[in-house]
């Protein structure tokens, strides 16, 4: 039963002057050692107190960071190197002041995002001290890309630092050389004009309204910290939804939100959260936050943003399009990116492959629609056009083309996890996942941590599958060859050979179908191996009797075909269009653009073909040339030659 919505004020808490708090954390937090230069291995930030202030001018963020610094060895350099603002999109860091625990100014230099601080007199005989770093974030007018407003914004209607899991977490001070490490325990105080409601990193400890301003206090969830800090301030209201099982959902939205939408969204979050707890491992916090946001989705620690339309417009589904499936995806990021965390510059897939997989498997328990096979089929269909141009799943973040990043990290990563579930079996797969979550809790991990966890629950003969599909680019390649047909005992006996032609072991279903027999079996072929299969039929010639991966959901691909480097679809106007065109793919090299309508291929009309047929038509033998007739804005037909 869905409970009632109640509007509540956040609990009041009396805490001292916003920018003069004493440290509340004992320096008992264990953080793994790092080894990069500049003394990184000798210093650790053991606790943070960070205060953010949004002034009424809405042209800057004023930040005060008090850091509890722990020195691991007395034989340390005289300078501490702090990384501040590296790669943070569209922001400048100015007005920097560094002070010691006695509020005395400390000499420093700031160049190339590095604060080089003279700490020669800060520690004395102690191994711990505190530093206060004051600075201002302003817009960098010389920089803009489409992602920068998503990263951070300062205006009279929306102020945010969207420091989520995808490499936008560099706005707060870090010891240089420790970028992959988890954030230390923190207290995050946010001071905004009273018209704003704030959703931020951690658990809300208190809010005070005074003299036209609101002062919020947030702290990290007990037992684990974020990989980054974030806050969102908007002119919204916060509604609390409490479910009978104890889960508390804080919902931030404008006054024109539809009550039925709020009820539905709360149900999606609740079902997702509980489903993922069942398959990935329980969490101790029993709360979640979701906010209406103009820039789409982002998954943060135990919270997420979702487009305003989900709150104030009718939500409609069809057999494959579920607007709230992305909410399921973002809820999963509490596990994939926060509880289990990695350096996104090296292991982006550990976030997004797991998020995409979770989104698909979560649709049935959350939205009561059984479209898992259809979803993975469409995912593979959208992957095959790029399979010859993408990096490995592990190296997804290393390419500039965002299309290829998404294909490798999201699409290939999710199909890999679906295959692994098939290889290991349902029970062992999820047992391995739960062990991985528990073993990785609160640490900064890498791909090997995942591999080693899953190998504990997987027969040794399949260990190559666990690693090779992540470390080597592309899907596994196979070939099916018909080698013989003989008549014997009232039947023609057709002999087929399946060859594994690639650098990955293959473990997928294959289907045999003739007028005499029909069955599906498991195919396991190591690199370079082949298997012979005999099919009985009353017919000497004709049908294709053997199909590898009959549902088309596993990461295997027939050898000898090249993808177009673009996905085709038919729009509502009856035009065939290409989207997500990879720059270095055949379509991209030929100059095909997304605004073109594709009319004919080698003289054959493309309209009236379904999604599968269109995209399979674009898989061609390597070296082949095809002729496309396209229509551009001038309404004239143009001929383009595409070379594979």
């Amino acid at each position: 039963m869905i409970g009632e919505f109640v509007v509540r004020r956040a609990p009041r808490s009396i805490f001292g002057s916003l920018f003069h708090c004493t440290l509340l954390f004992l320096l008992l937090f264990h953080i793994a050692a790092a080894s990069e230069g500049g003394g990184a291995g000798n210093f650790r930030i053991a606790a943070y107190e960070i205060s953010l202030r949004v002034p009424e001018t809405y042209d800057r963020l004023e930040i005060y960071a008090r850091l509890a610094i722990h020195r691991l060895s007395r034989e340390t350099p005289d300078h501490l190197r702090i990384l501040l603002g590296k790669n943070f999109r569209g922001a400048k860091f100015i007005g920097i002041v560094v002070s010691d625990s006695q509020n005395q100014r400390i000499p420093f230099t700031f160049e190339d995002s590095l604060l080089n601080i003279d700490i020669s007199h800060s520690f004395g005989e102690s191994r711990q001290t505190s530093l206060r770093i004051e600075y201002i974030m302003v817009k960098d007018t010389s920089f803009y890309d489409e992602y920068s407003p998503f990263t951070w914004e300062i205006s009279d209607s929306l102020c945010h630092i969207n420091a989520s899991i995808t490499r936008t977490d560099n706005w707060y001070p870090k010891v240089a050389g420790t970028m992959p490490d988890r954030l230390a325990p923190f207290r995050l105080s946010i001071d905004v004009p009273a018209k704003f409601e704030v959703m931020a990193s951690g658990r809300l400890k208190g809010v005070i309204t005074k003299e036209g301003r609101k002062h919020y206090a947030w702290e990290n969830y007990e037992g684990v910290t974020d990989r980054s800090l974030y806050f969102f301030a908007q002119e919204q209201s916060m509604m609390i939804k409490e479910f009978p099982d104890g889960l508390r959902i804080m919902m931030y939205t404008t006054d024109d939100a539809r009550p039925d939408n709020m009820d539905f969204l709360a149900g999606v979050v609740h079902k997702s959260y509980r489903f993922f707890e069942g398959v990935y491992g329980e969490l101790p916090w029993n709360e979640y936050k979701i906010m209406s946001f103009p820039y789409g989705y982002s998954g943060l620690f135990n919270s997420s943003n979702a487009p305003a339309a989900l709150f104030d417009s009718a939500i409609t589904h069809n057999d494959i399009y579920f607007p709230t499936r992305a909410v399921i995806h973002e809820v999963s990021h509490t596990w994939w990116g926060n509880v289990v965390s990695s350096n996104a510059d090296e292991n982006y897939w550990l976030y997004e492959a797991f998020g995409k997989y979770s989104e698909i498997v979560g649709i049935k328990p959350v939205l009561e629609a059984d479209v898992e096979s259809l979803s993975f089929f469409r995912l593979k269909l959208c992957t095959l056009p790029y399979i010859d141009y993408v990096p490995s799943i592990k190296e997804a973040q290393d390419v500039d083309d965002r299309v290829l990043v998404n294909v490798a990290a999201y699409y290939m990563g999710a199909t890999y996890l679906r295959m692994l579930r098939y290889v290991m079996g349902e029970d062992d797969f999820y047992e391995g996942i739960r062990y991985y979550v528990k073993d990785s809790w609160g640490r900064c991990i890498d791909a090997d941590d995942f591999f080693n966890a899953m190998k504990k629950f997987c027969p040794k003969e399949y260990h190559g599958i666990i690693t090779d599909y992540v470390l080597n680019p592309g899907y596994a390649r196979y070939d099916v060859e018909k080698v013989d047909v003989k008549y014997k005992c009232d039947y023609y006996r057709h002999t087929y050979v399946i060859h594994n032609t690639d650098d990955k072991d293959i473990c997928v279903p294959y289907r045999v179908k003739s007028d005499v027999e029909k069955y599906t079996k498991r195919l396991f072929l190591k690199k370079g191996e082949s298997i012979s299969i005999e099919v009985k039929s009353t017919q000497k010639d004709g049908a294709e009797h053997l199909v590898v991966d009959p549902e088309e959901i596993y990461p295997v691909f027939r050898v000898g075909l090249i993808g177009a480097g673009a996905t085709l679809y038919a729009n509502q106007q009856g035009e065939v269009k290409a989207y997500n065109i990879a720059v270095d793919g055949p379509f991209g090299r030929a100059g095909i653009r997304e605004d073109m309508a594709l009319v004919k291929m080698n003289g054959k009309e493309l309209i009236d073909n379904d999604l599968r047929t269109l995209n399979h038509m674009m898989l061609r033998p390597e070296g082949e040339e095809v002729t496309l007739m396209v229509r551009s804005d001038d309404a004239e037909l143009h001929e383009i030659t595409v070379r594979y």
Side-chain angles (χ1 to χ4, degrees), residues 32-44 72 81 175-181:
S35 59
E36 293 187 30
N42 294 317
F43 298 103
R44 289 293 172 268
L72 302 181
R81 295 171 71 235
V175 175
T178 63
M179 282 297 289
D181 288 353

Side-chain angles (χ1 to χ4, degrees), residues 477-479 497-502 504-506 523-532:
R477 300 296 180 113
Y478 68 89
D479 190 27
V497 177
I498 306 175
H499 307 278
N500 182 345
T501 63
D502 202 59
K504 305 174 188 70
D505 296 347
I506 292 175
L523 172 69
F524 178 59
L525 282 179
K526 286 189 170 293
K527 307 175 188 68
E529 288 185 348
S530 300
I531 185 174
S532 178

Side-chain angles (χ1 to χ4, degrees), residues 461-512:
E461 64 178 333
Y462 298 134
H463 284 188
I465 290 177
I466 292 177
T467 57
D468 288 350
Y469 281 80
V470 174
L471 301 180
N472 299 332
Y475 281 175
R477 300 296 180 113
Y478 68 89
D479 190 27
V480 179
E481 181 185 9
K482 187 173 182 178
V483 297
D484 194 18
V485 56
K486 293 180 179 178
Y487 189 80
K488 183 179 180 182
C489 300
D490 300 327
Y491 296 112
Y492 289 97
R493 299 176 184 267
H494 303 261
T495 302
Y496 296 85
V497 177
I498 306 175
H499 307 278
N500 182 345
T501 63
D502 202 59
D503 58 356
K504 305 174 188 70
D505 296 347
I506 292 175
C507 187
V508 294
Y510 73 92
R511 183 186 66 208
V512 166

Side-chain angles (χ1 to χ4, degrees), residues 244-257:
D245 62 5
L247 186 65
R248 182 173 179 266
I249 301 176
M250 304 162 70
M251 307 186 76
Y252 300 80
T253 189
T254 55
D255 293 337
D256 57 356

Side-chain angles (χ1 to χ4, degrees), residues 178-384:
T178 63
M179 282 297 289
D181 288 353
R182 297 299 292 260
L183 186 68
F186 66 84
R187 178 184 175 106
L188 178 63
S189 299
I190 299 173
D191 179 7
V192 294
K195 66 179 183 179
F196 285 131
E197 187 72 44
V198 173
M199 183 179 84
S201 190
R203 189 188 294 283
L204 180 62
K205 305 302 290 186
V207 57
I208 293 175
T209 301
K210 183 178 180 181
E211 297 178 353
R213 299 189 66 85
K214 283 182 180 176
H215 306 268
Y216 292 82
W218 303 77
E219 292 180 359
N220 60 282
Y221 285 107
E222 57 274 13
V224 70
T225 60
D226 298 24
R227 186 178 185 270
S228 60
L229 300 179
Y230 59 89
F231 87 99
F232 300 89
Q234 297 189 77
E235 296 183 60
Q236 294 183 333
S237 299
M238 188 264 282
M239 307 176 77
I240 297 177
K241 172 75 165 100
E242 293 182 355
F243 285 83
D245 62 5
L247 186 65
R248 182 173 179 266
I249 301 176
M250 304 162 70
M251 307 186 76
Y252 300 80
T253 189
T254 55
D255 293 337
D256 57 356
R258 296 168 50 137
D260 55 335
N261 286 40
M262 299 290 282
D263 196 55
F264 181 75
L265 285 171
V268 169
V269 171
H270 173 254
K271 291 178 182 177
S272 301
Y273 201 88
R274 292 308 190 209
F275 170 68
F276 293 139
E277 280 196 312
V279 294
Y280 299 148
E282 291 185 4
L283 304 179
W285 308 304
N286 239 19
E287 73 171 26
Y288 194 85
K289 298 164 284 188
I290 183 169
M291 173 178 268
S292 172
F293 188 60
Y295 303 145
Y297 298 92
S298 62
L300 307 142
F301 194 172
N302 235 39
S303 62
S304 61
N305 295 313
L310 290 184
F311 294 82
D312 58 28
S313 302
I315 298 174
T316 57
H317 298 121
N318 59 31
D319 61 343
I320 192 64
Y321 177 65
F322 301 94
T324 51
R325 66 186 296 159
V327 175
I328 302 171
H329 179 113
E330 302 305 343
V331 171
S332 79
H333 276 308
T334 290
W335 285 261
W336 315 125
N338 294 289
V339 170
V340 178
S341 181
S342 185
N343 180 4
D345 288 324
E346 298 175 358
N347 288 287
Y348 186 49
W349 77 281
L350 287 177
Y351 304 115
E352 299 305 348
F354 287 80
K356 191 65 179 177
Y357 172 84
S358 301
E359 166 198 323
I360 293 175
V361 300
I363 291 175
K364 183 176 181 179
V366 175
L367 300 176
E368 300 178 355
D370 189 3
V371 294
E372 181 177 317
S373 291
L374 178 60
S375 295
F376 278 109
F377 161 69
R378 290 170 68 98
L379 199 63
K380 181 175 179 180
L381 198 63
C382 291
T383 304
L384 290 180

Side-chain angles (χ1 to χ4, degrees), residues 442-457:
R443 298 191 294 117
C444 183
I445 51 88
D446 60 24
D448 286 339
D449 290 280
F450 174 71
F451 298 153
N452 293 334
M454 300 309 285
K455 286 177 180 178
K456 291 179 180 293
F457 299 88

Side-chain angles (χ1 to χ4, degrees), residues 131-149:
L131 293 178
R132 173 167 155 153
I133 304 175
E134 306 173 31
Y135 54 100
I136 296 170
M137 280 178 60
V138 297
K139 285 288 184 181
D140 183 354
T141 57
S142 66
F143 177 91
Y144 179 82
D145 67 11
E146 62 180 0
Y147 196 73
S148 55

